[in-house]
Amino acid sequence: MASRAIYKPSKADRVFDVTNILIISIFTLIILYPIIFVVMASVSDPSKIFDTPLLLWPRGFSLDGYKEILQNKDILVGFKNAVIYTFLGTMVNLIVTTLGAYPLSRKEFVGKGFFTIFFTITMFFSGGLIPTYLVNQQIGFVNTIWVMILPGAISVYNMILMRTYFQANIPSELLESAYVDGANDLQLLWKVVLPLSTPIIAVMAMFYGVGRWNDYFNAMIYLQDRSKFPLQLILREILVQNQFGDTSKALIASANAQTMLLKLTLKYSVVVVSTLPVLLFYPVVAKYFEKGIMVGAIKG
């Protein structure tokens, strides 16, 4: 019986592996360092944050920023609004995208080529900001929660990805057998197609959810009532405009060094709070991400 050959890496191979790991580690640290810095700064003593060029662990320890968040009504209301807008908006996105992608994936659908081109044109041409604002105003969406949920209910790019997934991964024989058993299109979609489409649904949920969570521009344009502001718009005020909502009066009245340090810590803490839901959501869909996103490589 012939013995199995055992591969022994040469000295050049080992040098290459070590060099490769070192380079990748450096790039990983460069990419992750801004996140590490913000997290460490949010729990550090604000007077010691910039004592060293690199902040890889907390300097001192302080939770004043997070305590201020819990006392700031604007931030808490913004977080609640962001959760509502993200959840409802993502549900609407998934429903509308699925209902658009499924008919276009069926070869029996008459005119699917025309509708595909019709939808694709909207990816390159739009009415612009002012006409869109006037339409939302005429409908009555301006300064309501619906302006953050219903407009943008579908992404044509995501719909094409989902359509391609249906075409490539749902056997036509399975659909035909379900038709023979008496299933209509809605039953086919609900009982056959969707249970086999968990990867693409998870990827779409992540795409739409992250986009909804990070959206501040629409809120800045369409919302005037502060009680409807999402967290990202409150975060923009804190980081860009240095406005602190409920805390602003205290900051103006007490413009001392301690207050300025509190402002600095609060900025880092709000960034962590606004980023945490996305970081927690990604591991949930990570196992589906590779399979779902690879559908983009399939032409058709």
Side-chain angles (χ1 to χ4, degrees):
M1 182 176 179
S3 60
R4 180 180 298 178
I6 299 176
Y7 170 73
K8 293 182 179 180
S10 63
K11 182 178 180 180
D13 291 333
R14 290 193 292 268
V15 171
F16 174 80
D17 291 340
V18 172
T19 305
N20 200 24
I21 292 173
L22 181 62
I23 293 175
I24 292 175
S25 300
I26 293 174
F27 275 102
T28 301
L29 181 60
I30 292 174
I31 294 172
L32 292 180
Y33 178 69
I35 300 177
I36 297 173
F37 177 88
V38 171
V39 173
M40 295 300 102
S42 70
V43 295
S44 296
D45 184 343
S47 62
K48 300 179 181 179
I49 291 177
F50 299 107
D51 286 351
T52 58
L54 293 177
L55 185 64
L56 298 177
W57 55 84
R59 301 289 180 180
F61 187 77
S62 174
L63 294 177
D64 290 343
Y66 294 99
K67 292 177 182 178
E68 189 62 37
I69 288 176
L70 295 176
Q71 298 173 1
N72 190 302
K73 181 181 177 181
D74 285 334
I75 295 177
L76 295 178
V77 172
F79 189 90
K80 180 195 72 173
N81 290 338
V83 171
I84 293 174
Y85 298 156
T86 300
F87 177 77
L88 294 180
T90 302
M91 291 299 102
V92 170
N93 287 138
L94 291 177
I95 292 172
V96 177
T97 302
T98 303
L99 294 178
Y102 173 68
L104 295 178
S105 69
R106 301 302 305 277
K107 60 183 179 180
E108 301 89 355
F109 179 52
V110 178
K112 71 173 185 177
F114 167 78
F115 286 108
T116 300
I117 295 174
F118 180 80
F119 285 126
T120 304
I121 290 175
T122 64
M123 296 175 61
F124 304 98
F125 303 97
S126 67
L129 178 60
I130 294 177
T132 303
Y133 183 91
L134 294 176
V135 169
N136 286 317
Q137 186 180 52
Q138 291 295 321
I139 297 175
F141 283 172
V142 173
N143 203 31
T144 68
I145 66 171
W146 303 112
V147 79
M148 299 296 296
I149 297 172
L150 295 180
I154 188 172
S155 164
V156 175
Y157 177 79
N158 289 341
M159 183 186 69
I160 293 175
L161 282 182
M162 183 173 282
R163 179 212 64 176
T164 306
Y165 184 93
F166 290 161
Q167 290 176 334
N169 293 273
I170 308 299
S172 58
E173 295 81 7
L174 182 62
L175 301 179
E176 292 173 359
S177 64
Y179 267 126
V180 171
D181 291 337
N184 57 37
D185 282 307
L186 288 179
Q187 291 173 330
L188 198 63
L189 175 62
W190 180 254
K191 296 183 178 180
V192 178
V193 176
L194 292 183
L196 298 175
S197 303
T198 303
I200 193 64
I201 292 175
V203 171
M204 292 297 104
M206 188 183 70
F207 284 172
Y208 282 125
V210 171
R212 293 281 188 175
W213 180 262
N214 290 330
D215 183 23
Y216 75 92
F217 185 76
N218 286 334
M220 185 174 63
I221 297 297
Y222 296 113
L223 297 180
Q224 293 87 42
D225 187 351
R226 193 173 184 82
S227 64
K228 296 184 177 68
F229 282 8
L231 178 62
Q232 298 300 330
L233 192 55
I234 303 297
L235 177 62
R236 177 182 177 274
E237 292 181 351
I238 293 176
L239 297 181
V240 178
Q241 300 176 340
N242 282 323
Q243 297 178 6
F244 287 81
D246 289 350
T247 318
S248 59
K249 294 181 181 179
L251 294 177
I252 295 173
S254 179
N256 51 36
Q258 188 63 33
T259 300
M260 300 304 295
L261 293 176
L262 174 61
K263 291 171 62 176
L264 181 64
T265 306
L266 182 59
K267 288 183 177 182
Y268 293 127
S269 302
V270 174
V271 171
V272 172
V273 170
S274 66
T275 308
L276 189 60
V278 176
L279 296 179
L280 294 178
F281 179 64
Y282 178 76
V284 176
V285 301
K287 62 180 180 180
Y288 303 111
F289 185 78
E290 181 179 355
K291 185 177 180 181
I293 197 59
M294 281 300 291
V295 71
I298 300 175
K299 306 302 179 183

